[in-house]
Amino acid sequence: MALLFLDSCDHITTTAQADLKTSTGTLLDAFETSGGRFGGGAYRLDGSADSIIRGVSSHTTIVAGGAVKFVNPMDSMTLFDEIISFREAGVATHVTVGVDRGFIRAKRGVGNGTDLGASATRIIYDTLWHFIEAKVFLSDTVGTVEVHVDGVQVLNLTVQDTINGGGGIVDEILWGRLFNASDTRWDDLYIDDANILGDSRIDLLMPDGDGNYTELGTTFGSATHAFNVDEIGPDGDTTYNNGTAVNQRDTFTMGNLAAITSQVIHGIQQVTYGKHDGTATNHRSKLRISAVDYNGASLALASTYGYHLEIWDQDPNAGPGAWVESVINGMESGYEEL
Amino acid sequence: MSVLFFDGCGEYYSTSQLVDVWTVFGAPTVTSTGGRNNGAYIHFPNGAFITKVLDINYQEVIVGFGLRSTAFAEGSDILGFFNGSTLMVSIEMTAAGGLKVMRGGSVEIGATVNALLQANAWHYIEVRLKVDNAPNGEIEIWIDGVQRLLDNAVDSLNGTDATFDALTFQEFIQPWDMDDVYVLDPNSGAASPHNTFLGDIQIDAVVPDGVGAHEEFDTAVGSVNHWQNVDEIPHTGDTDYNESPTVNDRDLFTFGDLPAISGGSTLLSVKATTLVRKIDAGLGQFRLVARPVATNRNGDTLTLSTEYRYHQHIWDLNPETSAAWTDALFNASEFGVEVL
């Protein structure tokens, strides 16, 4: 049981940056730096082919969620539009969850696919943020589709044929738009391989000071390493830290989470943005909790900037165990050249 | 529940907040005075329309609304019954002051006599539509409490799906004014108090005017008097409000009395309306509560968004007596909300 992807939509400022994180090569979208669900950024889909696409490893059970808002009046005359699609990249769309005049409806295939079922009542309204989550199990005979809206189950289909040809796996999620709601916003996106998480927010924490390690170079930018990597909307070669030797490390103190009241912390995702300078290089994300280092997987850098993600479902310093607010606020986050 | 929806425009009174109640296209306006009983009303200028998407699909409903127009134009749409993108049936003005019924926007399937509607005067229109092929389709129109059209064997079905999911009030050719809208399910069962035309009705809005039996929310932003944070028309959003994160916290309020109606009146239904949102991620639910007069009576569980939205609960009958409301009992009742 693991998170596969998180996107607060708060740490990027341009469509090009968004494309680096979510595109699998066909993304057409726009990005807004304000107007997100709790402020901050959001994806804006307003072209006929606009969508957000994220590739993941292959799964037969997978969950995708996010906050969506149809900014303009939702044309009640619009029939089924694809909101979250579970796809086998380049092969098939197995299941699509859509909005059908305010109902939530699931189909095998895309809009003209086989109807699997719909919510009992209309529960999607225009001009409001809704948190929509869909869990799909692929099977020719006992497939399931479960959809929650704003934390409440609205559709629970069992004993379904949820495989639309291909190899019967999902390795790509598409978040779409209402065709006639010409401005559809998405925020707080997630993908999980097992669980519907419930109405969730994704908070962005950025470096705010140097941590225990300051071993990379600071040729371009500030002598304070954190200040070269603290931009919302990375500034590329303007300021950065440059590694010159294997096992050089930088870790940073980070800002604090917005207040957590009764919510559960489902996981954290470290995001690094980097490239190599002509020689193939790997790096790994690093957490430092209570003076102990924890390393992520080895990730290859390309010759152009790209985002690299490392997800920690649990606090590695707690057994591992559940994350708590104070640990996140007190830990350091960084990276190590390999 | 037999009454599905009603709107006297009294709880919002403003053009900008029309979108909180209806799906709005074009530029309809809300004027705070000058309606049927000198309250608020909606005006449809050229190309404006508003849609009420029904919670489920219906084959038959009754719709009532006040209509005022400075003139009448042949074929000017005022009300459409839609199934998705399919216009099932529409009601149009005639140039001679009558109404006609069109299937699919092009085939006339019924009409009233002329000269029933006067320019610049409010009229109360009620339409019962059952969509089906002949001889099972039905259309019935009442104007100002008098039946003016009845055809119980009409072909009112455009297409193959004998249901509709949205009602659209619209302007086409001739601008007009609308007030006091209701939508009723005439097939909600023998136990339902309202299965037929309500007649020429009036919808009044009353707002909190005092402390009720429970005052358990916080008043961090606004007055220490809870009711004064929720008594504005139109609403003021985050300017002042009551809030609570605690399950089972309640705020109940007394309300102003209903206006007296000369000749007496029958109180047909009560809709409690609240504008509410949650402030963070996570499941947020609440319910509307009526207290008529000694016991809290709870509405359905309602789910919150992170943005303000009107939520409603309709009590066709007094939930304490399971009998019809009376003005006196309503005036003595409290209404409010409870966190779930």
Side-chain angles (χ1 to χ4, degrees), chain A residues 177-198:
Chain A
R177 64 183 284 273
L178 283 194
F179 186 75
N180 281 346
S182 57
D183 185 347
T184 297
R185 307 287 175 101
W186 280 101
D187 198 356
D188 291 342
L189 307 178
Y190 83 85
I191 305 172
D192 192 276
D193 68 359
N195 296 317
I196 289 176
L197 303 182

Side-chain angles (χ1 to χ4, degrees), chain B residues 4 8 20-21 80 115 119 131 147 158 161 163 181 189 205-206 215 220 265-266 278 295 301 306 315 318 325 329 338:
Chain B
L4 304 175
D20 294 330
V21 181
V131 290
Q147 186 189 70
N158 183 27
D161 182 359
T163 65
V181 183
V206 292
E215 200 171 42
S265 63
T266 300
K278 62 184 177 185
T295 307
T301 297
T306 48
W315 283 279
N318 181 330
W325 288 95
L329 271 177
E338 178 179 3

Side-chain angles (χ1 to χ4, degrees), chain B:
Chain B
M1 186 172 66
S2 54
V3 177
L4 304 175
F5 170 77
F6 56 90
D7 181 16
C9 314
E11 68 264 39
Y12 49 91
Y13 274 19
S14 82
T15 299
S16 64
Q17 292 172 14
L18 190 62
V19 296
D20 294 330
V21 181
W22 297 85
T23 300
V24 175
F25 298 87
T29 59
V30 178
T31 302
S32 60
T33 60
R36 289 185 69 223
N37 299 289
N38 205 31
Y41 68 96
I42 300 169
H43 174 68
F44 297 101
N46 184 258
F49 59 106
I50 61 175
T51 293
K52 176 54 63 180
V53 179
L54 303 172
D55 285 343
I56 60 173
N57 287 32
Y58 287 88
Q59 184 179 21
E60 181 179 13
V61 296
I62 297 172
V63 183
F65 57 98
L67 174 149
R68 179 177 64 185
S69 183
T70 57
F72 302 100
E74 190 68 25
S76 188
D77 291 330
I78 54 177
L79 170 61
F81 298 77
F82 281 87
N83 180 324
S85 58
T86 301
L87 174 58
M88 196 64 66
V89 166
S90 55
I91 309 297
E92 300 179 356
M93 299 176 182
T94 69
L99 297 174
K100 63 182 179 181
V101 185
M102 309 294 288
R103 184 182 70 237
S106 59
V107 180
E108 182 175 324
I109 57 173
T112 69
V113 299
N114 291 326
L116 296 175
L117 305 175
Q118 293 182 336
N120 301 306
W122 281 105
H123 293 282
Y124 202 74
I125 313 297
E126 294 173 283
V127 178
R128 181 177 65 84
L129 171 69
K130 178 183 178 184
V131 290
D132 211 331
N133 290 314
N136 297 315
E138 299 178 17
I139 182 73
E140 185 173 2
I141 295 178
W142 291 55
I143 299 177
D144 297 327
V146 178
Q147 186 189 70
R148 297 298 187 179
L149 174 67
L150 174 63
D151 186 342
N152 280 337
V154 71
D155 181 359
S156 56
L157 176 59
N158 183 27
T160 57
D161 182 359
T163 65
F164 47 88
D165 54 38
L167 308 174
T168 295
F169 295 93
Q170 58 191 317
E171 189 279 341
F172 181 69
I173 304 175
Q174 176 59 48
W176 61 287
D177 303 328
M178 186 180 79
D179 197 359
D180 290 345
V181 183
Y182 79 84
V183 182
L184 181 151
D185 174 10
N187 300 301
S188 51
S192 171
H194 305 305
N195 287 317
T196 188
F197 296 89
L198 298 183
D200 186 343
I201 62 160
Q202 170 177 329
I203 299 172
D204 297 309
V206 292
V207 297
D209 70 351
V211 177
H214 307 283
E215 200 171 42
E216 297 163 352
F217 279 43
D218 296 325
T219 57
V221 180
S223 170
V224 295
N225 297 315
H226 295 217
W227 66 271
Q228 289 184 319
N229 297 326
V230 293
D231 66 341
E232 305 88 9
I233 297 177
H235 72 79
T236 56
D238 281 348
T239 302
D240 61 350
Y241 57 86
N242 303 316
E243 64 178 353
S244 173
T246 306
V247 171
N248 296 131
D249 267 7
R250 295 157 295 186
D251 260 1
L252 264 62
F253 314 103
T254 61
F255 281 71
D257 288 351
L258 291 170
I261 296 177
S262 64
S265 63
T266 300
L267 182 51
L268 297 168
S269 188
V270 170
K271 178 181 76 170
T273 299
T274 186
L275 187 79
V276 63
R277 71 179 180 98
K278 62 184 177 185
I279 61 171
D280 203 349
L283 178 63
Q285 293 184 309
F286 79 109
R287 60 189 172 198
L288 285 151
V289 178
R291 188 177 172 87
V293 175
T295 307
N296 291 351
R297 306 291 176 174
N298 299 322
D300 300 328
T301 297
L302 302 166
T303 301
L304 299 170
S305 170
T306 48
E307 291 184 273
Y308 283 112
R309 181 192 158 210
Y310 281 109
H311 295 262
Q312 68 173 33
H313 187 91
I314 293 176
W315 283 279
D316 287 326
L317 299 173
N318 181 330
E320 194 147 306
T321 62
S322 296
W325 288 95
T326 65
D327 283 18
L329 271 177
F330 175 84
N331 291 341
S333 297
E334 299 173 7
F335 298 89
V337 294
E338 178 179 3
V339 179
L340 295 178

Side-chain angles (χ1 to χ4, degrees), chain A residues 78-329:
Chain A
T78 300
L79 297 175
F80 185 83
D81 277 324
E82 302 161 35
I83 299 303
I84 301 177
S85 293
F86 296 84
R87 314 201 317 177
E88 187 170 340
V91 177
T93 295
H94 291 296
V95 172
T96 296
V97 172
V99 172
D100 181 355
R101 292 166 287 173
F103 290 98
I104 286 288
R105 182 176 294 282
K107 293 192 175 190
R108 182 175 65 251
V110 290
N112 59 355
T114 302
D115 188 29
L116 300 178
S119 59
T121 61
R122 291 188 167 80
I123 34 83
I124 302 297
Y125 299 90
D126 50 33
T127 72
L128 294 177
W129 283 106
H130 288 290
F131 201 79
I132 300 178
E133 303 165 276
K135 178 178 181 177
V136 168
F137 170 60
L138 296 186
S139 167
D140 285 325
T141 54
V142 290
T144 62
V145 180
E146 180 180 2
V147 182
H148 290 209
V149 174
D150 296 327
V152 177
Q153 185 190 74
V154 300
L155 185 63
N156 188 22
L157 304 171
T158 59
V159 197
Q160 301 289 322
D161 177 1
T162 52
I163 294 179
N164 186 30
I169 57 93
V170 171
D171 59 8
E172 191 173 81
I173 300 295
L174 178 147
W175 291 270
R177 64 183 284 273
L178 283 194
F179 186 75
N180 281 346
S182 57
D183 185 347
T184 297
R185 307 287 175 101
W186 280 101
D187 198 356
D188 291 342
L189 307 178
Y190 83 85
I191 305 172
D192 192 276
D193 68 359
N195 296 317
I196 289 176
L197 303 182
D199 185 345
S200 304
R201 73 170 201 248
I202 300 171
D203 294 339
L204 169 68
L205 304 182
M206 295 295 287
D208 64 359
D210 284 344
N212 190 63
Y213 303 108
T214 53
E215 298 171 347
L216 276 74
T218 57
T219 308
F220 297 92
S222 169
T224 302
H225 294 223
F227 296 164
N228 298 326
V229 292
D230 66 345
E231 305 88 15
I232 291 179
D235 63 2
D237 282 350
T238 304
T239 64
Y240 61 90
N241 302 317
N242 56 301
T244 56
V246 170
N247 296 130
Q248 285 184 332
R249 298 159 293 184
D250 274 348
T251 57
F252 311 102
T253 60
M254 311 290 283
N256 288 346
L257 289 169
I260 302 290
T261 52
S262 59
Q263 296 97 337
V264 173
I265 300 174
H266 294 289
I268 68 168
Q269 175 180 266
Q270 288 179 283
V271 180
T272 53
Y273 183 75
K275 65 174 184 177
H276 67 67
D277 60 359
T279 302
T281 306
N282 279 25
H283 80 301
R284 62 186 176 195
S285 293
K286 224 173 163 57
L287 291 178
R288 184 171 174 83
I289 304 171
S290 300
V292 180
D293 291 351
Y294 298 94
N295 298 317
S298 177
L299 302 168
L301 295 169
S303 59
T304 56
Y305 279 108
Y307 284 105
H308 303 272
L309 312 180
E310 182 73 42
I311 290 179
W312 303 80
D313 291 288
Q314 293 188 301
D315 174 1
N317 191 51
W323 287 102
V324 297
E325 183 179 3
S326 59
V327 169
I328 292 175
N329 291 342

